[in-house]
Amino acid sequence: MTNSPANAKDILLTFVGQAINKHPKRITALIAALMLGGGGGAFAVASFAPDASELPVREVLESVQALPLNAPSDLASPSFTLFRSEVTRSSDTADTLLKRLGIDDAAAAAFVRTDASARQILLGRTGRSVTAEASDDNRLLKLSARWSSDSDGKFNRLVIEKTAQGFRSRTEVAPLTASTRLASGTIQTSLFAATDDARIPDSIATQVAEIFSGDIDFHRALRKGDRFSIVYETLEGDGEPLRAGRVLSAEFVNGGKTFQAMWFKDPVAGGVPVVEGARAADSRSKGGYYTLDGESLRRAYLASPMEFSRVTSGFKMRMHPILKTLRAHQGVDYGAPTGTAVRSVGDGTVEFAGVQNGYGNVVILKHRNNHNTLYAHLSRINVRKGESVSQGQSIGAVGATGWATGPHLHFEFRVNGVHHDPLTIARESESVPVSPAAKPVFARLASENRMALSAAASMQQSSAQ
């Protein structure tokens, strides 16, 4: 046989014909693919394997023996641990506390009632964070209570744990960790009412009032619509918030005027100018509050000898409430309940502490530059003559001793023996700027705090919308 092109053509046509007769569906698929993919030059070649519809089908039947319904199972039910947190209440008993934690364990309740540490730490206490670990049948496995009682950067932990010998308790000490929180609010009636609405701790509100006390009279100058933004620390133990820390930065808009502050510790303590004596340098080395432009907010004198109260009588002529004569009132009276803490408005030395005529129980402090402050009608005195006191230190408590018709504090400020209006003294006292060497570090931190305060303010705007 000659191997001519004609013969090859005949052989190819014969093969194709046989293929079409044997696999009509596959050949049709190939032609469709060629037609669809012709423009792109890419196609898939159909398999010439037997058509699946032509393959033989075989049915297989096999009997299966069913297990009896009461047969033991090899699959054990999974066990799990339940976690729940609570805060202790003053009315708590062992049973009520464990019930709130979802614990149903008579042995655990009996242990809490009888163990000295557990009873002292948990029962009758308010505000202590408690976490319980329980089995899937609500039996106590482990209970941890945390609290912070001082400011040394640590917290206490009570652990009650189930062992093979029964429940055991132990107490531990661990370091606090700090996290940062943002908050903002608007004044409707008072600072504390606004911070309560914003869920800001009272200690943070008090710090804010302290920070801006030299610029804002929180007794008389707050207006409805004033607003504030705060960045502050929350101190945590095992991830649970235990108490508020320090205000890191704050902004207060009072009567349309904006005041800003941030905490800063000057790293160049040796370069701090001494304006208020050696104590001032010590205070600066520990850090303080500054405007975001670098001016210290710590002034020589606080605006008020109490954190919160109301002015009931100013520095002016008035009718004396007891003598019934018109005479100059050479101080300021602050109305407050008996026992309210009274603090020194500045660093100084106790010149007099005792009873003095119509002043009743009185403390007189001597400050620099022949300045003196007087605190009268006290219910108790916490200092003694010759003792050094620092700004903000408690020196006594509000009372009604001497010539007083009710509990209040009479406060005087004297310069070279001459009485001056105490409400103007704080604003006239000087402040100290950041040292030149610390300015680069301060500028970087100020920029970060501006962004944080802006974020805090935007939170309130978002919630309002």
Side-chain angles (χ1 to χ4, degrees):
M1 178 184 295
T2 59
N3 205 8
S4 66
N7 290 334
K9 180 179 179 181
D10 292 337
I11 294 171
L12 177 61
L13 290 173
T14 302
F15 174 77
V16 170
Q18 292 174 349
I20 292 173
N21 291 329
K22 190 174 182 178
H23 304 288
K25 295 182 179 179
R26 299 300 182 193
I27 298 301
T28 303
L30 174 61
I31 295 172
L34 288 171
M35 294 178 65
L36 292 173
F43 55 87
V45 178
S47 171
F48 287 99
D51 195 318
S53 62
E54 299 175 357
L55 293 175
V57 178
R58 188 168 56 128
E59 183 177 358
V60 177
L61 299 176
E62 190 171 331
S63 62
V64 177
Q65 183 66 37
L67 291 174
L69 294 176
N70 58 354
S73 174
D74 292 335
L75 298 176
S77 299
S79 61
F80 50 88
T81 302
L82 302 171
F83 294 83
R84 187 166 183 179
S85 296
E86 263 292 344
V87 176
T88 59
R89 302 172 185 173
S90 60
S91 60
D92 271 337
T93 64
D95 295 290
T96 58
L97 176 60
L98 292 179
K99 184 177 180 181
R100 289 207 314 279
L101 288 165
I103 303 296
D104 183 13
D105 191 332
F111 181 83
V112 173
R113 280 193 297 268
T114 57
D115 183 75
S117 296
R119 189 173 62 250
Q120 179 183 5
I121 292 169
L122 293 175
L123 306 184
R125 300 284 184 172
T126 302
R128 292 189 171 175
S129 174
V130 181
T131 302
E133 300 178 25
S135 62
D136 49 12
D137 61 350
N138 298 319
R139 303 291 179 181
L140 181 66
L141 301 176
K142 183 178 179 180
L143 184 145
S144 301
R146 307 164 192 85
W147 71 99
S148 175
S149 57
D150 47 41
S151 57
D152 62 356
K154 297 179 181 180
F155 73 97
N156 303 298
R157 182 197 295 122
L158 167 72
V159 179
I160 298 174
E161 201 161 12
K162 189 173 186 179
T163 68
Q165 294 75 36
F167 288 101
R168 296 289 185 270
S169 70
R170 66 181 184 272
T171 55
E172 304 168 339
V173 177
L176 289 163
T177 57
S179 64
T180 302
R181 297 197 177 188
L182 310 180
S184 58
T186 301
I187 301 294
Q188 299 296 331
T189 56
S190 68
L191 177 61
F192 269 114
T195 53
D196 283 346
D197 290 342
R199 297 184 179 180
I200 298 171
D202 286 351
S203 62
I204 297 298
T206 299
Q207 289 183 56
V208 169
E210 283 287 329
I211 292 167
F212 296 116
S213 63
D215 297 303
I216 301 172
D217 185 345
F218 284 89
H219 302 294
R220 302 187 299 179
L222 287 187
R223 295 177 173 84
K224 184 176 181 179
D226 286 354
R227 62 186 186 276
F228 55 86
S229 303
I230 310 171
V231 181
Y232 67 95
E233 290 177 325
T234 292
L235 301 179
E236 301 175 347
D238 298 335
E240 295 286 338
L242 298 182
R243 62 182 174 87
R246 174 184 289 137
V247 171
L248 301 177
S249 58
E251 178 181 274
F252 207 106
V253 180
N254 173 235
K257 187 174 182 181
T258 301
F259 301 92
Q260 292 179 323
M262 61 174 265
W263 171 263
F264 180 69
K265 182 177 180 180
D266 195 327
V268 192
V272 175
V274 178
V275 174
E276 298 174 22
R279 187 180 299 275
D282 292 342
S283 176
R284 281 289 299 277
S285 66
K286 296 177 182 178
Y289 289 97
Y290 296 77
T291 68
L292 270 60
D293 294 324
E295 292 293 326
S296 174
L297 289 177
R298 186 182 190 272
R299 311 230 172 169
Y301 302 107
L302 299 174
S304 169
M306 286 187 288
E307 290 180 355
F308 286 94
S309 63
R310 68 184 189 282
V311 174
T312 56
S313 183
F315 188 80
K316 60 184 179 180
M317 293 293 294
R318 66 164 189 176
M319 182 66 68
H320 194 280
I322 293 179
L323 301 178
K324 304 301 181 183
T325 59
L326 188 65
R327 57 190 302 176
H329 187 228
Q330 296 182 318
V332 173
D333 288 349
Y334 294 91
T338 298
T340 302
V342 175
R343 60 190 181 179
S344 168
V345 296
D347 301 332
T349 304
V350 180
E351 191 174 67
F352 181 88
V355 180
Q356 193 178 96
N357 302 324
Y359 287 128
N361 292 332
V362 62
V363 171
I364 301 176
L365 302 182
K366 183 178 181 179
H367 309 279
R368 62 188 185 85
N369 298 334
N370 291 322
H371 291 182
N372 294 86
T373 54
L374 178 147
Y375 312 77
H377 307 312
L378 303 174
S379 60
R380 70 171 183 271
I381 295 174
N382 298 339
V383 293
R384 57 185 182 274
K385 184 176 180 180
E387 181 180 343
S388 294
V389 297
S390 58
Q391 186 180 77
Q393 179 179 331
S394 175
I395 59 173
V398 170
T401 58
W403 294 351
T405 58
H408 72 283
L409 173 72
H410 175 76
F411 176 61
E412 295 181 6
F413 198 103
R414 303 171 184 172
V415 179
N416 293 319
V418 179
H419 291 85
H420 287 252
D421 185 353
L423 298 178
T424 64
I425 294 296
R427 292 175 178 80
E428 295 174 355
S429 58
E430 72 277 16
S431 62
V432 184
V434 172
S435 64
K439 283 186 176 180
V441 177
F442 183 90
R444 177 176 58 82
L445 292 176
S447 176
E448 294 174 0
N449 277 282
R450 282 191 178 93
M451 289 189 290
L453 289 171
S454 177
S458 65
M459 290 171 55
Q460 184 186 16
Q461 295 170 0
S462 299
S463 63
Q465 294 172 355

